[in-house]
Amino acid sequence: MRILYAVHHLPPRYTGGAEARALRTARRMQALGHEAAMICVEAIDQREPAVETRVEEGIPIRRLSFDHRSFPEATRWTYDNAFVEDRVTELLNEQRPDVFHLISGYLMTAGAIRAAHRRGIPIVITLTDFWFLCPRITLLRGAGRVCPAPPPDPLGCVQCQAEASRRFSWPAQVAPQLTAQGWRQLGQRLPAVRAQALAIHDRRQVLSEALALSQALICPSRFLRELFVENGVAPEKLLLMRQGLAVPDQQPPRRPADDVTVFGYSGQIKPHKGVDLIVAAGAALAARGYRFKIAIYGNAEEDRRYTESLKRRARAATWLEWRGTYTAHDAWTVLAGLDAILVPSRWYENSPNIILEAQAAGVPVIATELGGMAELVRHEENGLLFRLNDAADLSRQMSRLLGDPGLLIGLRDCAPPVKTLDQEMAELLQLYGQVIGRA
C-alpha cells in the first residue's frame, strides 16, 4: 500500500505532538512493508527553496517554503492555500498513493484536501486540535478563557482574535456583554470589521466543504468528536481512535525513593500550556516549607518573552530546574526520573502524548480538569485533577502527594493500560482498507 502523509511541520526544526505523530506513523508503516511519503511546510517567511525533497530514513519527504506576505489576501492563505494545493497535486501525481492521510490541517489547508479529492484518492484526516473550527486552533480566548464552541456569529471570532491584544482583552474581562454588543455595532459601521467577519464566514464554509470530501475523520478523544458533531460534521465519519505508543520492552529503572519529590513538565513553554501556573504553585509550596523539585522540559526559544518572564519570577527558586528538550528515545529515561507529571493546560487538549507516556511509565499525572485531559486522568484513581487556571488548587493537589506517600504509590499502581503503536497501526491499516474499498 502507498500512503502519502501531510502535516504542517516535521522535525528536526519542529517537535510538536502532531509532527512527531506523523513521522512516527510513516516510519512504522514503512517498516511494515508499505510505501510511505510525506509533505510538510518548512517555512512561511521565505521563498527559497520553495520545494525541497530529501529521502530521510528511507522516506521521501517534501518540504515546502513560501512567503505568506506575497499572497494577495491577508488571511485566505491560512485556510485555503493555492501554492500548497499545487505542490500537493504535483506530489500526488508523482507518488500515486492509495490513501492520502492529512494530520491536523493547519498550513496544509483545504487546498491539500481538494488536491487529493480531484485525483480520486481516498482521504483520511486526523483531527489533532480544533483548527477546522477555530482560527486560533485552541478554542482559547483572551486572558486564558476557554471558548465552549465557535460562536454562531463570525463577529465573535473577530472579537476573539482582537482580544489577543491586551488593549482589547481588558474590556472583555470587565464587561463581557457590553463589549460583545460594541463589537456588533462595529461590525455594522466599520467596513474593516465587517470584512473580517466575512473572512471568518468564508473560512468556515471552505473548511466545512473540505471536511465533507474526506472518507474518515480520526478523533483522538471523545470530547473532540462530540464537538465536531455539534458543529455539523457527519457523525458516521468521525471515528474515535486514540494514538498508540512505542513502549520499550523494559522500562528504565525508576529513580530511588527519597525525601524530595520530583514533579515534571514536558511540552511547549507557552501561555496556553499554563507553565506559569506551575511556577506559581511551586512558589506557594516552597513558602510552606515543602521539599520538592520541579523539572521543566521544553524549548525555551519558542516563546522567549514568556519563558524569560517565568525565569524572572522564579529567579531565586532552587526548586525549579530548566532542563531543555529531549529526544523521543530519551523519553522513558526522563519519565523514570520523575515522581509525577504536571499538565496544567488552559486549552481543552485532546489526547496528550505526555499523559499516555506517563501512564505507560507508571508516573501519576496532575492535570487540568478540562477536555481530553479529564478523559484520561481519573481523579484520585490514576491521577489528580485541578480547577482550570487555579494555581492554588494545583498547589493543593501537589501538596497531597508531598504529604501522603501512600497516595503517590496508590495512583502509580492504578496506571491504566496504554495502546501500543503496533495496535494503532493495525487499526489504521484496517481503516485504510475500508476507505479504499469504498472508493
Side-chain angles (χ1 to χ4, degrees), residues 201-243:
H201 175 77
D202 183 65
R203 181 188 193 276
R204 292 179 178 183
Q205 185 171 349
V206 167
L207 293 182
S208 175
E209 292 171 355
L211 284 177
L213 299 177
S214 68
Q215 277 66 50
L217 300 166
I218 295 174
C219 305
S221 71
R222 288 188 299 275
F223 177 84
L224 181 142
R225 183 184 185 279
E226 291 167 2
L227 191 61
F228 273 82
V229 170
E230 290 169 5
N231 281 271
V233 178
E236 63 274 12
K237 287 189 177 184
L238 292 160
L239 311 174
L240 179 62
M241 186 186 295
R242 190 83 64 185
Q243 74 267 37

Side-chain angles (χ1 to χ4, degrees), residues 266-342:
S266 175
Q268 294 177 314
I269 304 177
K270 292 185 175 181
H272 70 283
K273 290 291 189 176
V275 188
D276 53 288
L277 298 173
I278 295 177
V279 174
L285 291 172
R288 294 165 60 189
Y290 284 106
R291 287 172 53 80
F292 66 97
K293 284 190 178 297
I294 299 178
I296 304 289
Y297 291 93
N299 185 351
E301 300 300 314
E302 281 191 296
D303 191 332
R304 191 177 301 175
R305 180 180 298 179
Y306 179 64
T307 304
E308 289 303 318
S309 72
L310 297 179
K311 290 184 176 181
R312 284 194 300 271
R313 289 172 56 183
R315 184 177 291 113
T318 57
W319 44 266
L320 185 62
E321 298 178 0
W322 300 88
R323 297 188 180 178
T325 59
Y326 56 85
T327 65
H329 176 75
D330 295 327
W332 306 105
T333 302
V334 168
L335 288 167
L338 303 174
D339 293 303
I341 276 285
L342 306 175

Side-chain angles (χ1 to χ4, degrees), residues 6-69:
V7 66
H8 45 276
H9 294 311
L10 281 173
R13 184 175 177 183
Y14 306 95
T15 57
E19 296 92 318
R21 182 175 185 175
L23 188 58
R24 181 174 65 236
T25 303
R27 286 174 174 169
R28 184 53 62 99
M29 286 297 178
Q30 192 89 341
L32 291 172
H34 304 280
E35 296 181 32
M38 306 191 77
I39 186 168
C40 69
V41 173
E42 186 70 10
I44 65 170
D45 56 0
Q46 64 185 53
R47 293 192 181 186
E48 299 298 337
V51 178
E52 183 179 23
T53 303
R54 294 197 304 267
V55 176
E56 303 175 24
E57 297 187 29
I59 300 174
I61 299 180
R62 182 157 299 179
R63 299 175 185 266
L64 310 179
S65 298
F66 57 85
D67 187 346
H68 69 89
R69 294 162 296 193

Side-chain angles (χ1 to χ4, degrees), residues 79-82 84-86 88-89 108-116 118 206-207 210:
Y79 61 90
D80 193 5
N81 192 318
V84 170
E85 182 171 357
D86 290 343
V88 171
T89 298
M108 298 309 298
T109 78
I113 300 171
R114 280 199 307 272
R118 279 200 311 272
V206 167
L207 293 182

